[in-house]
């Protein structure tokens, strides 16, 4: 079993930045697919970014490309989502997800992941 704990959410004005963290514990492997998703009220869960922790290969959704980056600190079993130039439409609950023992091959859909965090809220005001 893998446990995921997100942190770093909050309220910012448009144009601001936030860095979300996802700390993983439990049965993690050297090869994992870690992803960030978001879900706004009344909308479907949307993939934002993903990283293959064994290779460092990253995938970024077109909607946030150039503004968001995903990175990892393997020593801390932590994945980060750096969000810059935030817009009001980025407002959502942000979730971390993991699939142990597998790479990411594209920006995965939610069904690819086995483990989820509780989410951290992000609010961007205009």
């Amino acid at each position: 079993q893998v446990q995921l704990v997100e942190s770093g959410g909050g309220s910012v004005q448009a144009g601001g930045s936030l860095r979300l963290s996802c700390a993983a514990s439990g049965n993690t492997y050297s090869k994992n697919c870690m992803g960030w998703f978001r879900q706004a009220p009344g909308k479907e869960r949307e993939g934002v970014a993903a990283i293959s922790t064994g290779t460092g290969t990253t995938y970024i959704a077109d909607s946030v490309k150039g503004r968001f980056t995903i990175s990892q600190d393997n020593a801390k079993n932590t994945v980060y989502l750096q969000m810059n130039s935030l817009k009001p439409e980025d407002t959502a609950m942000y979730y971390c997800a993991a699939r142990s023992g597998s790479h990411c091959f594209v920006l995965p859909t939610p069904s690819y992941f086995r483990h989820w965090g509780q989410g951290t809220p992000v609010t961007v005001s205009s």
Side-chain angles (χ1 to χ4, degrees):
Q1 191 72 358
V2 175
Q3 292 80 42
L4 303 173
V5 178
E6 303 101 332
S7 61
S11 297
V12 295
Q13 290 192 327
S17 298
L18 285 173
R19 188 177 79 156
L20 307 184
S21 300
C22 173
S25 60
N27 292 332
T28 59
Y29 298 87
S30 60
K31 179 176 71 174
N32 304 284
C33 178
M34 302 288 295
W36 284 99
F37 289 79
R38 66 186 181 185
Q39 188 165 19
K43 295 189 176 181
E44 292 187 354
R45 193 163 293 192
E46 173 192 17
V48 175
I51 185 167
S52 289
T53 61
T55 64
T57 303
T58 62
Y59 305 86
I60 305 292
D62 288 342
S63 58
V64 301
K65 195 165 291 182
R67 301 189 296 121
F68 291 13
T69 57
I70 186 170
S71 62
Q72 61 180 342
D73 184 333
N74 286 339
K76 296 181 179 180
N77 279 345
T78 299
V79 172
Y80 304 98
L81 183 69
Q82 178 67 43
M83 306 186 296
N84 299 326
S85 302
L86 283 161
K87 303 175 181 180
E89 50 264 43
D90 295 318
T91 295
M93 185 69 80
Y94 282 72
Y95 297 92
C96 178
R99 178 165 176 150
S100 297
S102 301
H103 288 305
C104 312
F105 297 99
V106 293
L107 185 63
T109 61
S111 62
Y112 186 73
F113 294 93
R114 305 283 174 80
H115 309 285
W116 291 85
Q118 293 299 308
T120 185
V122 171
T123 302
V124 184
S125 58
S126 58

